[in-house]
Amino acid sequence: MGQWWRFLSANFVHLSWQHLGMNALGLVLIYALFPNVIPWNAWVVVLLLCSLSVTFGIWLFHPNIVWYVGFSGALHGILVLLLVLDYLAKQHRLNILLFIAVLAKLLWEIFMGPIPGSESTAGGPVVVQAHFYGFIGGLLMFIFLFISNKYKNLLV
């Protein structure tokens, strides 16, 4: 029951340098797509909350998964949150298409398993549940921000 530090640190440890590179590239691409949607300090909070949503989701609903490393789950949450916030701010229809694409990818992973080639690129098994819980974490953050009407204050 100990080792509570793993709830956060698991997201920043990786299977291989390639795995770290893929996750770092994902973060850079997300930032390149949405550099001015939220302030930099909100990025840190979103990153931490999405990371925790992944590890708590796995811990609560998949106790048989005793290890998880990587940042891809948190990236899914960050991406979905920024897609929705950016859509509300600018009404870009491309955000809807990207949201549907991410959702389709998640459904593929849930029913078919990891995207072909992802395990060999990462250097080990892909925990697709992490992507799902990151996505859910991003959606829950948006719902909280929307209900509390704080999302308008967050937008840059």
Side-chain angles (χ1 to χ4, degrees), residues 89-101:
K90 301 174 187 162
Q91 303 292 306
H92 290 303
R93 289 194 179 123
L94 180 59
N95 290 344
I96 296 170
L97 294 175
L98 288 172
F99 185 91
I100 292 169

Side-chain angles (χ1 to χ4, degrees), residues 7-55:
F7 276 94
L8 192 56
S9 67
N11 293 277
F12 301 100
V13 176
H14 289 78
L15 293 170
S16 65
W17 287 107
Q18 293 88 348
H19 186 213
L20 174 62
M22 286 180 0
N23 283 191
L25 180 61
L27 185 59
V28 168
L29 289 173
I30 291 170
Y31 184 79
L33 282 171
F34 306 106
N36 299 316
V37 175
I38 59 175
W40 70 269
N41 54 340
W43 272 87
V44 174
V45 172
V46 168
L47 182 146
L48 292 174
L49 290 176
C50 284
S51 296
L52 289 172
S53 74
V54 169
T55 48

Side-chain angles (χ1 to χ4, degrees), residues 85 145 149-156:
L85 288 174
L145 291 168
N149 206 27
K150 293 184 187 291
Y151 76 95
K152 294 175 186 173
N153 299 338
L154 186 63
L155 298 174
V156 175

